[in-house]
Amino acid sequence: MYRTHNCGELTLKNKGEKVILSGWVQRLRNLGGMTFIDLRDRYGITQLVFNMDTNADLCKEARKLGREYVIRIEGIVEERSNKNPAIPTGDVEIKAGKIDILNKAETPPFTIEDDTDGGDELLMKYRYLDLRRNILKKNLELRHLMAQETRKYLSGQGFIEIETPMLIKSTPEGARDFVVPSRINPGEFYALPQSPQTFKQLIMVAGYDKYFQIVRCFRDEDLRADRQPEFTQIDCEMSFVTRDDILNAFEELIRHLFKAVKNIEINQKFLRLPYKEAMENYGTDKPDIRFNMKIKEITELVKGKGFTIFDNSEYIGGIYAQGCSEYSRKQIDELTDFVKKPQIGAKGLISVKYDTDNTFKSSVDKYYTREELAGWAKKFNARPGGLILILAGEKTNTLNALGELRLEMARQVGLQDKNKFAPLWVVDFPLLEWNEEIKRYYAMHHPFTSPKAEDIDKLETDPGNTRANAYDLVINGVELGGGSVRIHDKNLQQRMFKALGFTEEEADRQFGFLMNAFKYGAPPHGGIAFGFDRCVSLFAGLDSIRDVIAFPKNNAGKDVMIDSPSPISEEQLKELSLKLNVKK
Ligand code: ASP
């Protein structure tokens, strides 16, 4: 027998018991007369004690153990004189009577402690050692719990989990596909699913009116902090539902997860904010509404006073930060550098300090009177002690830049409380997005998204202003999920493909299977998919999804542990009828 207990469960209740434990040597302290070992397994750490006076041979044996050796010990549970209240087993220690070395270990390349000394590259290469650390273990446990709670909740609501294939035909979700060559069909390729989108719609046609799946998806995109080439979705679809039925249903799922996993009650109904308002008030379609600091437009108020930068701008707007009138010249310069960064793209920053003595100090004093500046302050509901920050330029870009500045100010002032969760739905997204490079429209969500009923006729006359029956769930500035009511009518789907610039043949070649299915009684349907990794990282309070995934890829899309991607043999290439054309 390897163990009677695990390393996280023994307490004073077990005092005097003879126990067997197995685990890894976390730490060894040789204090001369006594030697202590912290024995670790998935459940915790238990202290083992060896005494030179009472059992010198065993004590000497213990001293020879190395870090991460796998051992089995037999011993008696005793009360510790020097208790450790930080761990559940901290009141006891095991007076060991026997050690078996189950496996030796080389000295690990980094310390396996909460604060490790390993660099990123090393941690990724030895991920299985990194996974022994508490932090990652907690993340994986959280992930497991969230997956179980999701299944439990949705099953309880009558949803059925159905698996869909991994080797499919391309689904257009806006990224590149990963493709897999077919050996038995030379020259032909499968695509790995960017999502099960078309399959879940076919499942609706098949009559399974509530579907879900916790499913892996693959997108060949450039990586960012919250992206991985393969990631997991909670993918859902329902039939005979309106948009609000869908939002209500999944609002409940989110509420359930918060309650079951974090014991947080979210009582209020989630705000439903139209995309246009989100852009105008927050400069982004994923607003962080834990704090207010809304963007205000002041174009009309400030134009035509001889200040050419404003006079030549389509849009002028700003944000207001209470308590920041004391910002130094240096701090304002840093903010100016911030908004001028290429990824933010503003040309400059105008600031107005509303001092506690009721005076205004601004970089545009020459052009505007005190009364005029007081008028701006009124627009921002500013009070003495506040700072107004203004950007000007083309409308969309300026709003985006203000959105970034708003987040930066929130960071500086400390408004993004990690323990606060502020969910909302962003609704009524544009259906189509114009791509200037290829001069054609793209589906902002995907081509199966329905236009809003009142906008359907704009599909041909005013495509750019057609609103979609699409929605995103956003929490604390993170887009956690998105979905839409789908087109279920063959003719409307054809009109949509046409608006996207598909010829009839192209549409038929790519999506004939779906159009065909729609001939045989497709119910009205709609759904959503949540980024499961993002949900877990939000619940874990992390900024990146990497550490809620057991074996993630690095920033170059590589798994440095198994060394993938990597070349395949000539023989494999031949079997697949492939010739490489790689320029080194
Ligand atoms: N398939 C969509 C996505 O992956 C989600 C949905 O529309 O349900 O974004």
Side-chain angles (χ1 to χ4, degrees):
M1 186 200 267
Y2 285 112
R3 52 185 175 185
T4 54
H5 296 80
N6 64 49
C7 295
E9 67 179 316
L10 293 172
T11 63
L12 279 178
K13 278 201 220 104
N14 305 92
K15 193 171 159 180
E17 282 176 32
K18 188 164 187 276
V19 297
I20 307 174
L21 298 181
S22 290
W24 286 262
V25 174
Q26 163 103 5
R27 207 178 299 139
L28 193 141
R29 291 183 305 282
N30 178 357
L31 305 183
M34 306 275 250
T35 291
F36 296 98
I37 286 178
D38 285 347
L39 190 67
R40 181 193 70 235
D41 67 7
R42 183 184 139 194
Y43 306 92
I45 285 182
T46 301
Q47 175 163 296
L48 316 177
V49 57
F50 302 85
N51 194 328
M52 210 52 191
D53 293 338
T54 54
N55 194 342
D57 285 348
L58 193 70
C59 195
K60 281 184 200 152
E61 221 182 295
R63 285 180 190 169
K64 284 193 225 136
L65 297 173
R67 262 169 42 205
E68 301 305 314
Y69 272 42
V70 187
I71 61 168
R72 171 190 181 279
I73 63 105
E74 291 178 20
I76 309 286
V77 182
E78 295 195 329
E79 182 163 2
R80 270 206 225 182
S81 52
N82 201 355
K83 299 195 169 55
N84 176 2
I87 56 173
T89 61
D91 287 349
V92 297
E93 61 192 2
I94 312 300
K95 187 177 162 208
K98 184 170 186 288
I99 307 175
D100 294 308
I101 297 179
L102 302 178
N103 218 335
K104 291 187 175 177
E106 285 186 20
T107 309
F110 46 84
T111 52
I112 300 179
E113 306 270 351
D114 286 355
D115 272 325
T116 177
D117 56 356
D120 230 28
E121 182 80 358
L122 214 52
L123 295 177
M124 291 289 268
K125 184 156 175 45
Y126 297 91
R127 184 72 170 178
Y128 46 88
L129 296 181
D130 199 11
L131 286 170
R132 287 184 189 168
R133 294 196 307 131
N134 243 329
I135 301 182
L136 287 184
K137 190 188 75 193
K138 279 204 192 118
N139 292 345
L140 292 189
E141 284 170 354
L142 174 67
R143 186 182 178 106
H144 166 75
L145 179 65
M146 290 180 73
Q148 298 315 308
E149 285 299 334
T150 300
R151 288 208 161 88
K152 194 165 90 189
Y153 179 79
L154 290 175
S155 306
Q157 299 296 314
F159 284 79
I160 157 172
E161 185 164 18
I162 301 176
E163 287 169 278
T164 50
M166 287 286 123
L167 296 176
I168 66 164
K169 197 179 164 83
S170 162
T171 41
E173 303 270 354
R176 288 191 189 86
D177 287 320
F178 283 103
V179 294
V180 180
S182 165
R183 179 182 55 83
I184 45 181
N185 302 285
E188 295 188 328
F189 295 81
Y190 303 100
L192 300 181
Q194 293 189 33
S195 86
Q197 184 59 37
T198 47
F199 284 96
K200 64 175 172 175
Q201 293 192 244
L202 294 171
I203 285 171
M204 294 302 112
V205 177
Y208 299 83
D209 63 344
K210 290 177 172 183
Y211 142 94
F212 85 103
Q213 184 182 191
I214 299 185
V215 62
R216 197 65 60 83
C217 302
F218 305 85
R219 295 184 190 177
D220 187 0
E221 296 177 293
D222 296 330
L223 302 184
R224 288 199 229 128
D226 58 347
R227 286 209 178 140
Q228 281 279 319
E230 49 180 309
F231 60 96
T232 304
Q233 286 188 340
I234 307 171
D235 190 46
C236 311
E237 197 76 5
M238 302 170 85
S239 291
F240 306 116
V241 281
T242 62
R243 181 198 78 176
D244 285 348
D245 295 329
I246 300 171
L247 299 192
N248 292 339
F250 292 104
E251 205 165 305
E252 286 308 316
L253 168 65
I254 297 299
R255 237 188 273 281
H256 172 80
L257 288 177
F258 270 105
K259 180 68 196 153
V261 177
K262 291 191 82 79
N263 198 23
I264 292 177
E265 303 260 8
I266 299 188
N267 293 319
Q268 81 278 17
K269 242 187 129 25
F270 296 6
L271 174 71
R272 292 176 188 180
L273 186 70
Y275 169 87
K276 190 161 173 279
E277 279 178 44
M279 295 310 290
E280 282 173 0
N281 291 327
Y282 303 99
T284 170
D285 59 1
K286 35 178 187 288
D288 186 344
I289 58 165
R290 275 174 296 181
F291 57 95
N292 199 10
M293 209 190 272
K294 282 188 195 162
I295 296 168
K296 296 263 161 38
E297 176 170 9
I298 52 169
T299 314
E300 293 313 315
L301 210 58
V302 303
K303 259 190 162 183
K305 310 280 166 158
F307 180 47
T308 38
I309 294 183
F310 282 176
D311 289 348
N312 294 335
S313 293
E314 177 192 7
Y315 172 95
I316 303 136
I319 55 167
Y320 170 68
Q322 179 56 33
C324 293
S325 68
E326 303 281 291
Y327 261 44
S328 65
R329 173 73 182 272
K330 182 160 169 272
Q331 281 172 301
I332 301 279
D333 285 347
E334 278 166 4
L335 284 177
T336 309
D337 291 341
F338 173 84
V339 297
K340 280 171 138 177
K341 282 198 291 194
Q343 58 281 32
I344 303 207
K347 295 222 170 58
L349 174 71
I350 309 282
S351 60
V352 181
K353 290 179 183 172
Y354 189 175
D355 276 333
T356 38
D357 61 5
N358 263 322
T359 58
F360 291 97
K361 276 199 206 76
S362 81
S363 38
V364 289
D365 284 346
K366 255 206 278 175
Y367 303 94
Y368 299 94
T369 63
R370 188 195 178 279
E371 282 61 46
E372 280 167 329
L373 294 179
W376 304 8
K378 195 158 166 240
K379 178 86 186 176
F380 287 96
N381 290 323
R383 281 168 285 139
L387 174 68
I388 300 170
L389 298 168
I390 297 168
L391 299 180
E394 187 272 328
K395 183 168 178 180
T396 310
N397 293 338
T398 308
L399 279 169
N400 287 337
L402 280 168
E404 294 291 342
L405 180 61
R406 175 178 177 270
L407 291 179
E408 175 60 24
M409 285 312 289
R411 267 189 289 274
Q412 294 194 6
V413 186
L415 299 176
Q416 291 169 308
D417 180 354
K418 281 221 171 187
N419 297 313
K420 191 169 163 188
F421 295 93
L424 79 153
W425 294 105
V426 177
V427 299
D428 300 349
F429 278 83
L431 185 70
L432 304 167
E433 215 175 359
W434 179 253
N435 183 315
E436 189 49 42
E437 253 166 63
I438 16 189
K439 305 248 178 277
R440 79 166 183 84
Y441 279 107
Y442 266 89
M444 189 145 175
H445 189 47
H446 52 56
F448 317 110
T449 293
S450 171
K452 281 185 81 97
E454 58 270 37
D455 284 9
I456 287 184
D457 288 336
K458 290 192 191 157
L459 206 47
E460 287 84 14
T461 55
D462 191 5
N465 281 317
T466 313
R467 286 168 307 161
N469 216 339
Y471 33 80
D472 276 357
L473 176 75
V474 177
I475 302 185
N476 295 3
V478 181
E479 180 203 323
L480 281 191
S484 59
V485 172
R486 323 297 183 191
I487 297 171
H488 65 281
D489 170 74
K490 186 171 156 282
N491 293 330
L492 183 57
Q493 187 64 67
Q494 255 158 2
R495 282 169 68 189
M496 178 69 176
F497 285 140
K498 204 160 166 211
L500 293 172
F502 283 87
T503 63
E504 242 170 72
E505 295 74 50
E506 278 169 339
D508 192 55
R509 190 157 25 86
Q510 276 205 50
F511 306 112
F513 63 96
L514 190 70
M515 307 287 274
N516 251 335
F518 282 4
K519 291 183 200 158
Y520 296 98
H525 61 284
I528 191 165
F530 296 96
F532 184 56
D533 312 282
R534 283 192 197 168
C535 293
V536 182
S537 81
L538 178 85
F539 273 45
L542 300 171
D543 296 324
S544 144
I545 61 172
R546 210 174 74 176
D547 282 344
V548 301
I549 298 173
F551 298 105
K553 311 271 187 285
N554 74 6
N555 290 341
K558 292 198 165 182
D559 183 329
V560 289
M561 181 184 65
I562 58 168
D563 185 24
S564 166
S566 54
I568 56 173
S569 68
E570 270 307 317
E571 222 174 340
Q572 282 172 298
L573 284 171
K574 217 161 127 202
E575 250 175 17
L576 295 166
S577 318
L578 292 179
K579 255 207 192 84
L580 295 184
N581 182 20
V582 184
K583 294 192 185 70
K584 286 266 167 179

